[in-house]
Amino acid sequence: MNVPFVTFIPLERELDQELRNAFERVFSSSWYIEGKEDERFEKAFASYCDSKFCVGVGNGLDALYLALKALNIGAGDEVIVPSNTYIATALSVVYVGAKPVFVEPDIQTYNIDPNKIEEAITVNTKAIMPVHLYGQPCDMDPIMDIAKRHNLYVIEDCAQAHGARYNDKVIGSFGNAAGFSFYPGKNLGALGDAGATVTNDEELSNKIRALGNYGSDYKYHHIYQGNNSRLDELQAAFLSAKLPILDKVNENRRSIAQKYLAGINNPEIILPYVPDYALPVWHIFGIRCKRRSELESFLNNAGISTNKHYPIPMHLQDCFKEFGYVKGDFPIAEEISETELSIPMFYGMTDEEIDYVIDRINEFK
């Protein structure tokens, strides 16, 4: 049997007519930027995130970058980010001219460890950017308490966690703003690049929208030195077609995850840990193994596709050499990067595919 790491086929078959209708609606309108589709999706997604405002942008990186820029974070400032994350998190900080300050994750949840944040705060710290990695919510209560005590902004990186909940509160609704990616592989994915920033601050929302539209508040009037980053009508229409079944998609992924958690029984394998406060959406199901390369080869040879999230930690990336980090500076992030292996997780996995993955992992010795 061959099991792909991810496939969009089951979801696209289910929504075939809705997606075609979305395309026809936009094509027939001859309106492709900043129109009714964008407005419709933004309103619906803001409501889904229990937020007042949503600004569609070009991608998830821009969603974070524009939020930081709108908060006037820039040169000389520092932003606390997890040492275990995708590069977009740190890049958004660098792009505004600020410095990303890495903080180690909790080895069990892979998310930023709140107990290690305060020791990283300096007089230059302006914000904390928690990442709800793999669809697992961060421990937000202590993070928000720290931010309040030190008068720091909180920008949530929700790129992998659409619909996840922390103590029954939807992620993205805690901080000053939150950035989402709608890259096609996300739980809520467009058919191309897309993203959004959500917030409960109307002034901040208006500024983010202007910054993403060449710094313009109305045509040919530019109040900021902005960028071009807008959610186009076609992707907004596709996202509107998919949003109504996002909860169904997430529940399906939880069902797959529960089968993995109950069925995988191998002393070589460390399974994901889910705290009581978390309702994950399992964008990624990441196991850990000291013999990752051997396990990866074993599964691949059995027809099971895998991935690694992420094999090189942020502080050891060539593009961040300027910060002077060396191997050993963030041992927990390094441990995760050297042992994590992501196994198949996608909407519509069959029981046969799930059982096959479980059985092969249990056979690994």
Side-chain angles (χ1 to χ4, degrees):
M1 177 182 287
N2 290 317
V3 184
F5 177 69
V6 65
T7 178
F8 309 138
I9 293 174
L11 180 61
E12 290 173 351
R13 283 178 177 168
E14 184 173 332
L15 292 177
D16 181 87
Q17 194 57 55
E18 288 85 349
L19 293 171
R20 292 178 188 275
N21 290 344
F23 172 80
E24 290 295 340
R25 202 165 59 242
V26 174
F27 186 66
S28 297
S29 74
S30 294
W31 194 291
Y32 304 113
I33 299 289
E34 293 187 313
K36 293 181 180 179
E37 296 292 344
D38 189 25
E39 183 180 346
R40 174 189 174 199
F41 174 72
E42 288 180 349
K43 183 177 180 180
F45 193 65
S47 176
Y48 183 85
C49 295
D50 196 22
S51 298
K52 294 179 181 178
F53 307 101
C54 170
V55 181
V57 298
N59 53 69
L61 171 55
D62 285 354
L64 298 172
Y65 161 71
L66 291 171
L68 289 167
K69 192 171 182 179
L71 290 167
N72 299 316
I73 294 172
D77 295 334
E78 296 176 351
V79 177
I80 290 174
V81 301
S83 56
N84 180 50
T85 184
Y86 183 57
I87 196 167
T89 312
L91 284 178
S92 69
V93 178
V94 172
Y95 284 176
V96 296
K99 179 184 178 181
V101 175
F102 299 116
V103 168
E104 287 275 60
D106 182 309
I107 190 64
Q108 287 189 297
T109 67
Y110 311 154
N111 281 330
I112 192 168
D113 187 342
N115 296 315
K116 294 180 169 66
I117 290 176
E118 283 195 279
E119 63 192 58
I121 295 174
T122 72
V123 294
N124 297 319
T125 306
K126 293 297 186 293
I128 305 170
M129 188 177 284
V131 181
H132 306 288
L133 200 66
Y134 306 161
Q136 170 96 279
C138 291
D139 192 357
M140 291 305 298
D141 282 349
I143 291 173
M144 296 306 297
D145 286 345
I146 292 168
K148 185 176 181 180
R149 286 201 304 274
H150 294 272
N151 195 29
L152 303 176
Y153 295 119
V154 174
I155 301 97
E156 297 175 69
D157 184 338
C158 306
Q160 300 182 1
H162 317 65
R165 289 183 171 270
Y166 173 85
N167 286 334
D168 205 34
K169 182 177 179 180
V170 67
I171 59 93
S173 61
F174 289 86
N176 300 88
F180 287 84
S181 167
F182 303 125
Y183 181 78
K186 306 300 185 185
N187 293 30
L188 178 62
L191 302 191
D193 271 322
T197 307
V198 301
T199 180
N200 283 310
D201 185 329
E202 184 174 12
E203 182 178 351
L204 184 62
S205 171
N206 291 337
K207 188 173 181 180
I208 291 169
R209 188 177 301 281
L211 284 167
N213 188 32
Y214 300 99
S216 175
D217 55 349
Y218 61 88
K219 196 167 186 177
Y220 302 134
H221 183 255
H222 304 271
I223 52 178
Y224 310 111
Q225 295 179 8
N227 302 80
N228 176 16
S229 183
R230 300 169 297 197
L231 177 63
D232 69 70
E233 287 288 276
L234 191 56
Q235 299 305 336
F238 289 145
L239 289 165
S240 289
K242 288 186 170 186
L243 182 57
I245 70 163
L246 176 56
D247 287 341
K248 178 183 176 182
V249 168
N250 288 342
E251 192 54 45
N252 180 253
R253 298 175 86 100
R254 289 190 194 104
S255 175
I256 297 166
Q258 288 305 313
K259 290 173 183 175
Y260 278 157
L261 291 170
I264 296 174
N265 184 15
N266 185 329
E268 297 277 352
I269 305 301
I270 300 172
L271 290 169
Y273 169 74
V274 182
D276 290 340
Y277 59 69
L279 183 65
V281 293
W282 300 104
H283 173 62
I284 297 295
F285 193 96
I287 61 178
R288 288 176 49 228
C289 179
K290 294 287 187 182
R291 296 161 54 210
R292 179 177 67 185
S293 294
E294 295 174 58
L295 175 62
E296 182 180 28
S297 296
F298 178 81
L299 293 178
N300 293 170
N301 289 336
I304 298 170
S305 295
T306 57
N307 208 330
K308 296 184 285 288
H309 295 88
Y310 299 94
I312 303 174
M314 289 303 95
H315 65 287
L316 298 180
Q317 293 286 351
D318 286 347
C319 63
F320 293 143
K321 281 182 178 179
E322 63 187 278
F323 300 129
Y325 295 119
V326 297
K327 189 173 178 60
D329 283 345
F330 297 94
I332 300 175
E334 292 170 20
E335 170 75 12
I336 295 171
S337 71
E338 292 167 1
T339 58
E340 192 275 345
L341 186 69
S342 304
I343 60 176
M345 167 62 74
F346 55 88
Y347 177 75
M349 275 189 82
T350 66
D351 288 340
E352 290 76 17
E353 289 172 326
I354 298 167
D355 290 341
Y356 184 74
V357 173
I358 291 171
D359 290 343
R360 298 296 79 76
I361 291 176
N362 287 342
E363 289 174 359
F364 176 72
K365 296 180 180 178

